[in-house]
Amino acid sequence: MIDDLYSAKLLRLAADLPRTGRLVDPDATSEKVSKLCGSRIVVDVKVSGGRVTDFAQDVKACALGQAAASVLGAHVIGASLAELETTRDAFRAMLKADGPPPEGRFAELGLLAPVRDYPARHTSTMLAFEAVTEAVAEAVTRES
């Protein structure tokens, strides 16, 4: 049901996007766009010792993409590439294969579990995590 999809908690997350904007001198940047709906997310990262030390995001997305970006922005500092990849993969499995929600610092993504019933929304919901894993991977490669 559509009311489950747009819960009050989810809408609060979407309305409160942390770490918005762009970094002046990022170590890496990634942009992801949903071809279906046009949602777009650009993330900038700074990485040191393999962990995210600074992060900014420019989000032009639906409430679902904004909610996922909100969870990411609130908890990304200190995350390693491995943790972000594990979270992205668990998030994708939750949406596409009825898997359990991600655990740990990104557990709030469980609020987006009802999106699994709306396959056309999966891509826009995943954009922030697709972008951040790509950017962090690039920054880690440059760092080594």
Side-chain angles (χ1 to χ4, degrees):
M1 178 179 283
I2 201 78
D3 290 340
D4 294 334
L5 190 59
Y6 294 103
S7 69
K9 286 181 182 180
L10 186 136
L11 293 174
R12 272 194 296 279
L13 278 176
D16 184 25
L17 271 170
R19 308 188 77 76
T20 58
R22 302 293 305 273
L23 296 181
V24 174
D25 188 25
D27 293 332
T29 297
S30 177
E31 178 179 4
K32 296 293 179 185
V33 177
S34 170
K35 292 177 184 173
L36 183 65
C37 68
S39 289
R40 177 184 153 277
I41 295 180
V42 178
V43 301
D44 295 323
V45 296
K46 297 284 278 180
V47 171
S48 180
R51 296 196 174 270
V52 177
T53 58
D54 202 1
F55 171 86
Q57 57 187 346
D58 181 23
V59 180
K60 306 279 191 277
C62 64
L64 303 172
Q66 288 177 0
S70 180
V71 173
L72 175 65
H75 303 291
V76 70
I77 301 301
S80 67
L81 177 58
E83 181 180 8
L84 291 166
E85 289 174 335
T86 298
T87 300
R88 178 204 56 205
D89 295 347
F91 190 26
R92 184 182 299 122
M94 178 186 83
L95 295 177
K96 295 184 179 293
D98 204 25
E103 297 178 344
R105 71 171 86 197
F106 299 107
E108 259 184 312
L109 291 171
L111 289 172
L112 290 155
V115 177
R116 72 173 49 108
D117 296 332
Y118 301 89
R121 306 289 179 112
H122 292 179
T123 300
S124 61
T125 305
M126 290 291 306
L127 287 177
F129 280 86
E130 297 290 355
V132 76
T133 53
E134 182 177 274
V136 172
E138 181 181 329
V140 166
T141 298
R142 289 180 182 172
E143 186 180 43
S144 22

